Every structure is written in structure tokens, then in C-alpha cells.
Amino acid sequence: MALATAFTDLFHVRHPIALAPMGGSAGGALAAAVSHAGGFGILGAAFGDREWLNREVPIVASRPGLPWGVGFLTWGIQDGAVEHVLEHGPRAVMLSFGDPTPYTERIRAAGAALILQVTDLEEARQAVDLGADVIVAQGTEAGGHGARRGRSTLSFVPVVVDLATPVPVLAAGGIADGRGVAAALALGAAGALIGTRFQATAEALVDPGIAQAIVDGSAEDTERSAILDLARGSDWPSRYLARTLGHPYLDRWRGRETDLARDAQARQDYQADVARGAIPPLPVWAGEGVDLITDLPSAGDLVATLATQAEDALARAARRPPPG
């Protein structure tokens, strides 16, 4: 059973599966592997560091005919980063977390599809008004950053689908196996955008310790908080929290975020702890689907597995029970 959707038709891919543009860790090799396997690989350019882009973009852009995209954190995009990427001819540019308005026309003028990730209905309405070609509806189960006052994937996706029709919507948040992909399709989405599951693959640009922490982690280990952004001195907008695995600074500062925001010494202590190896260099971003991650496959094998699992799940759901 082929899972053809408006998303697969738009990008001429075999499977309604997209790689989430996880900042830094979704590099060229991972994006290329996902696309080569029939999904849609999206580079995680974050703010658009030029050195990173010059290293990672050619890995995927040098493969003729391979569909790929690039994603940015909209609130902090470096000057000229979007234009630099567009010179390489991505099929799509995805913008998340912040006002995409300054970038939409230049993306469209370059012939790339515009993918806008939304975390609440206000952002969803703006995405429709801006003429997004694809909208990603992110639920609060997602790893990494998401809306402080967001909704779960199960309740958020169908609302965005109804609002955005006929624009294809991808579901994001807590999807880590093919059953989640099938559930996204049942909710009316045209596919799934998957992050944490792809972070635990052979091609992901992550420290082996982080990948193993994801394999060993469980949903109960994850927590949504602003603490690690505050401790790191990150400028993330306050409307977004980050879901990560457990961390000593979460235990130390939980319930005292206001104090942490004012404590310059705490931020110095954080950097000192990183320098001496007492805490990991980066938080381990992980979504609630982490329980379903038990191995570290190649990304290509994972895409094939996800597609097969999704087809099987939908076939089981359509099967009529035997007469009573």
C-alpha cells in the first residue's frame, strides 16, 4: 500500500516522512540519507552559521535530483544566511520559531517551497495568510523547543489541518515509529516531521554519548523548561520552552527560574561545569517518543522501517474484526 499524500506529490518523494531540521545535528549526510531513502531530508541550519553551511550543504546539494531542504530558527537568522542557502537550490526552506514575514518573499522568488512550523493557532493563521506551501503543526511532545502554552500533537494537528486546508500539514511531536506516522495520516496530516528518532542514527551529527542517552532514555526522563536556556545564557524568546532529558541544572533550579535569570554567577558556573566535563556541552533534546528508540540504525534503514510500520498500522486499522 503506497502512502501517497499531498506532501509526497509536492516534493516527489516516496514516503510522507520528513527529517526535522534539528539545529547542528541534522547535517548533510543525515539529510541526504533520508532523501535517498525516499523521505525528505531537511538540514538543521539553526541561525545559519556560514562555516557550518559551507561544510554541510554541499554534501546534499551535490547529489543531482535529490530533494532536500534547509531549516532555520527564524528569531535569530544571521544576515545573508537565507540568501546563501538559496544559491544552492534547495527544494524548500523551513522557518520555525519567530516571525517568518521578512523571509517569505525571497524564498518564494528563488523557487523554493516555503515550509512554516507553527506551535499555536496564532502562528498557524499567520502561516496560512503568508501562503505557506507546507505547514508543520508541532505538539508539545516534541523534543527541543516548543510553545510554552502549546497543545498536544493529537489535539493540535487536526485543528491546523482544518484551518489550513488545502495546504498540506505535517505532524510533529512525539512521533518515533511508523505507528506515529500512521496516526499523523489518520489525523488528516500529509505526513510526519520526525526529530528525536533521527537524532539516534548513524549519520546524525551528535556526540555518541548523546545518541546513547536517547536510546537509554524514557519519556518520564524528559522535562519542558526554560532553565537550561537561562543557564546557558541563550536568548531564546520566552514564549518557547525546551524539552530535554534530565539534567543537574534542572534539579538545581527547578521552581527558581526568576532567580536564575538574574544570577550572572549561575551562568558562569554552568560554563565552568561544561569546561570541566561535569555536565554535557549541550542539553540532550528529546521528545516523549524516546521510549520507542532502542537502537542506532542508519537513517536509510530507519526511513524504510518507518514506512513499512506505517503501512502495516494502517492496514491493521482498516481490517474489519471477525463477526461476533
Side-chain angles (χ1 to χ4, degrees):
M1 178 175 62
L3 299 179
T5 71
F7 177 78
T8 62
D9 291 345
L10 177 63
F11 293 111
H12 303 289
V13 297
R14 296 195 303 277
H15 308 303
I17 295 166
L19 166 67
M22 299 168 289
S25 61
L30 180 54
V34 170
S35 292
H36 184 73
F40 190 70
I42 308 178
L43 289 162
F47 303 127
D49 177 77
R50 188 61 62 94
E51 181 179 350
W52 191 91
L53 290 173
N54 287 342
R55 183 178 69 246
E56 298 300 326
V57 169
I59 296 173
V60 64
S62 62
R63 307 189 184 195
L66 197 68
W68 62 280
V70 62
F72 291 97
L73 300 174
T74 315
W75 64 268
I77 298 175
Q78 296 179 12
D79 290 343
V82 172
E83 290 82 358
H84 180 62
V85 164
L86 288 171
E87 293 174 358
H88 293 271
R91 292 284 302 277
V93 173
M94 177 172 162
L95 302 176
S96 307
F97 310 115
D99 182 9
T101 306
Y103 306 99
T104 55
E105 288 308 316
R106 68 188 79 171
I107 292 169
R108 196 171 281 115
L114 176 64
I115 303 177
L116 297 181
Q117 178 165 267
V118 303
T119 63
D120 59 32
L121 282 182
E122 177 185 352
E123 292 178 348
R125 293 187 184 99
Q126 182 189 38
V128 172
D129 292 342
L130 289 174
D133 296 293
V134 178
I135 294 175
V136 176
Q138 187 209 53
T140 54
E141 297 94 327
H145 289 83
R148 179 180 291 270
R149 297 183 178 179
R151 304 187 191 184
S152 71
T153 305
L154 183 66
S155 62
F156 186 48
V157 169
V159 174
V160 177
V161 168
D162 290 347
L163 175 70
T165 299
V167 179
V169 172
L170 298 182
I175 300 171
D177 68 3
R179 291 172 296 181
V181 177
L185 299 177
L187 292 175
L193 184 89
I194 301 174
T196 307
R197 171 66 273 202
F198 278 114
Q199 192 155 232
T201 56
E203 295 87 351
L205 293 177
V206 298
D207 183 272
I210 289 178
Q212 191 60 47
I214 291 172
V215 170
D216 295 339
S218 69
E220 287 78 8
D221 298 329
T222 70
E223 181 174 343
R224 297 183 82 232
S225 172
I227 289 173
L228 296 182
D229 284 336
L230 294 171
R232 293 184 303 135
S234 172
D235 293 328
W236 266 89
S238 60
R239 68 182 293 179
Y240 303 114
L241 299 178
R243 184 180 294 281
T244 70
L245 291 180
H247 191 284
Y249 272 69
L250 292 174
D251 299 332
R252 187 179 305 178
W253 289 98
R254 190 177 294 108
R256 297 193 294 134
E257 288 84 349
T258 300
D259 294 339
L260 175 59
R262 298 170 180 168
D263 193 333
Q265 183 60 50
R267 292 188 288 278
Q268 294 176 20
D269 291 345
Y270 183 94
Q271 296 304 325
D273 284 343
V274 169
R276 65 186 180 89
I279 59 176
L282 288 172
V284 181
W285 321 109
E288 287 189 358
V290 69
D291 299 85
L292 301 172
I293 302 172
T294 59
D295 59 358
L296 298 168
S298 70
D301 287 346
L302 177 58
V303 170
T305 298
L306 292 170
T308 298
Q309 289 175 340
E311 292 173 2
D312 290 347
L314 291 171
R316 287 195 304 272
R319 195 175 300 138
R320 292 183 179 180

